[in-house]
Amino acid sequence: MYAPIPPDPAAPSVRVNLYSDTQTRPTRAMRAAMLDAEVGDEQLSLDPTVNALCARVAVLLGKEAAMFLPSGAMCNSVAILTHCRPGDEIIAHETAHIIEAEGGAPWALAGARVLGLSGPRGMFTVDDLRSVLRSPSRYSAPQTLLAIEQTSNLGGGAVWALDTLHSLAAVARDHGMATHMDGARLMNAVVASGIKASDFTAGFDTVWIDFTKGLGAPLGAVLAGSADMIGRAWRWKQRLGGSLRQAGICAAGCLYALDHHVDRLAEDHANAKRLAEGLSRIPGLTVETPETNLVYADVAASGRDPAGWADALRAQGIMVSVMGRTRLRLCTHLDITRADIDETIMAFAAIRAIWL
């Protein structure tokens, strides 16, 4: 589903980078905060800035404890390895990040398979979940973990409804399953809905947030859960090489993001809506209405494949993602301005006119 565009030395430099919200760069003020960070040995819990970040995120997500990790994918792997044993089954949406974009990590690392449920916009219902639950049997894999992605990336950045999350978590709990939330863009959901992060995560045993997307930090994610859960997760963090040294330099960027870059996510959402409205007026493009900062455009009716569109845009200094056989993804973020949005719309229109 993900198709990175290889660098083309002949192409102009990227002026408008809509490839992903991971393309954000730390601001000068964030860099200053990182430069001034107090540091220590994170592995020994002696880094005061990492400790402050973990304590703050634990409160934000309504959990007892948290740990700092280099990436969100590692958060998913550490959580799955802590929850599951080889031969277990995880239930998630069929387009979930753990299925589509982590190199088969649940199977390769935990020996756990993932059962993907279908449903519009990267979501499924309580009835969908109930339909695949099995009575415990020695003949079938133990159903150990329910995994939810908030927001749903391949679902167009859609926000799971609070009551749906609560109901799904309750059904999973009644079935003896643990619950995990991939909260890569959880703060986008918070800003879009006005619902507190801790309300979204209340029914989940583990949850993480990513600081390298719309929050604009150069690296870092924080996994939260009960004190016992995080204590057990530390063994997997150690095994995977995720224990760090003077990581406060990076954690300071994350703390800065929490102070300065959360509310401004609303600007990204407004830019995404403007982009979607502009692209929807171009013949041959079918554009999904964005709820947050991800804009998906289906180009099947244009007579060109998404790679062709991406190449043509790249020639004009605009970078987007190819997502499957017919879709493009455009992500708004900290480094994208309203002028960038207007330039992108005009570039799409100009390319379409040339091809007619």
Side-chain angles (χ1 to χ4, degrees):
M1 300 295 290
Y2 292 80
I5 303 169
D8 179 0
S13 60
V14 176
R15 296 191 314 278
V16 182
N17 195 335
L18 294 159
Y19 179 80
S20 174
D21 40 11
T22 61
Q23 304 297 295
T24 55
R25 294 162 296 182
T27 63
R28 184 167 294 278
M30 179 182 283
R31 290 171 188 248
M34 295 169 72
L35 178 66
D36 294 336
E38 292 186 67
V39 299
D41 192 329
E42 181 265 355
Q43 185 180 24
L44 299 179
S45 300
L46 295 178
D47 191 301
T49 309
V50 171
N51 293 344
L53 174 65
C54 290
R56 184 166 174 184
V57 172
V59 171
L60 176 68
L61 301 181
K63 305 303 177 187
E64 292 179 340
M67 65 161 57
F68 185 58
L69 287 163
S71 71
M74 188 176 282
C75 286
N76 275 338
S77 288
V78 167
I80 288 170
L81 286 160
T82 307
H83 285 300
C84 301
R85 296 295 177 265
D88 284 357
E89 182 174 87
I90 302 164
I91 299 175
H93 193 271
E94 62 187 0
T95 64
H97 199 269
I98 59 172
I99 294 176
E100 293 288 344
E102 296 184 12
W107 294 267
L109 301 180
R113 71 183 190 186
V114 187
L115 174 62
L117 303 185
S118 62
R121 307 218 74 182
M123 302 178 185
F124 50 85
T125 67
V126 171
D127 287 340
D128 294 330
L129 175 59
R130 287 197 177 106
S131 72
V132 299
L133 295 179
R134 301 183 299 267
S135 298
S137 166
R138 66 187 182 190
Y139 297 106
S140 58
Q143 294 177 309
T144 304
L145 182 65
L146 172 69
I148 297 292
E149 188 179 321
Q150 177 75 310
T151 63
S152 170
N153 177 10
L154 292 179
V159 179
W160 287 80
L162 183 63
D163 58 349
T164 300
L165 291 176
H166 287 175
S167 297
L168 287 168
V171 169
R173 186 166 51 249
D174 289 345
H175 194 64
M177 302 175 70
T179 52
H180 172 66
M181 179 180 287
D182 173 336
R185 296 181 177 89
L186 174 60
M187 300 314 295
N188 288 92
V190 168
V191 170
S193 67
I195 296 171
K196 293 194 303 181
S198 57
D199 289 340
F200 276 131
T201 65
F204 291 81
D205 298 304
T206 49
V207 57
W208 59 272
I209 57 173
D210 197 331
F211 290 92
T212 70
K213 295 185 170 64
L215 296 181
L219 63 84
V222 175
L223 174 69
S226 68
D228 175 71
M229 181 71 193
I230 296 302
R232 290 186 289 120
W234 255 98
R235 185 178 299 277
W236 282 110
K237 175 175 174 173
Q238 185 77 27
R239 287 171 172 168
L240 296 176
S243 59
L244 308 169
R245 301 305 178 199
Q246 288 72 38
I249 292 173
C250 300
C254 301
L255 284 168
Y256 182 90
L258 287 176
D259 288 334
H260 300 281
H261 292 171
V262 174
D263 290 343
R264 64 143 307 280
L265 291 172
E267 299 174 24
D268 299 341
H269 301 171
N271 280 335
K273 183 174 294 186
R274 182 179 182 87
L275 178 60
E277 289 172 350
L279 295 182
S280 68
R281 294 192 290 269
I282 298 173
L285 301 184
T286 303
V287 183
E288 301 170 18
T289 301
E291 294 183 36
T292 51
N293 70 316
L294 306 183
V295 177
Y296 279 81
D298 192 298
V299 301
S302 72
R304 302 280 177 149
D305 63 19
W309 276 97
D311 289 343
L313 290 162
R314 183 68 181 83
Q316 297 193 37
I318 298 170
M319 194 169 179
V320 300
S321 293
V322 174
M323 306 297 278
R325 296 180 178 180
T326 64
R327 294 204 299 173
L328 296 172
R329 187 189 70 175
L330 301 89
C331 300
T332 58
H333 53 79
L334 181 65
D335 293 334
I336 297 298
T337 66
R338 181 165 174 166
D340 293 331
I341 296 301
D342 293 342
E343 179 180 349
T344 300
I345 295 168
M346 289 188 291
F348 267 89
I351 291 166
R352 177 62 175 161
I354 292 171
W355 285 345
L356 285 176

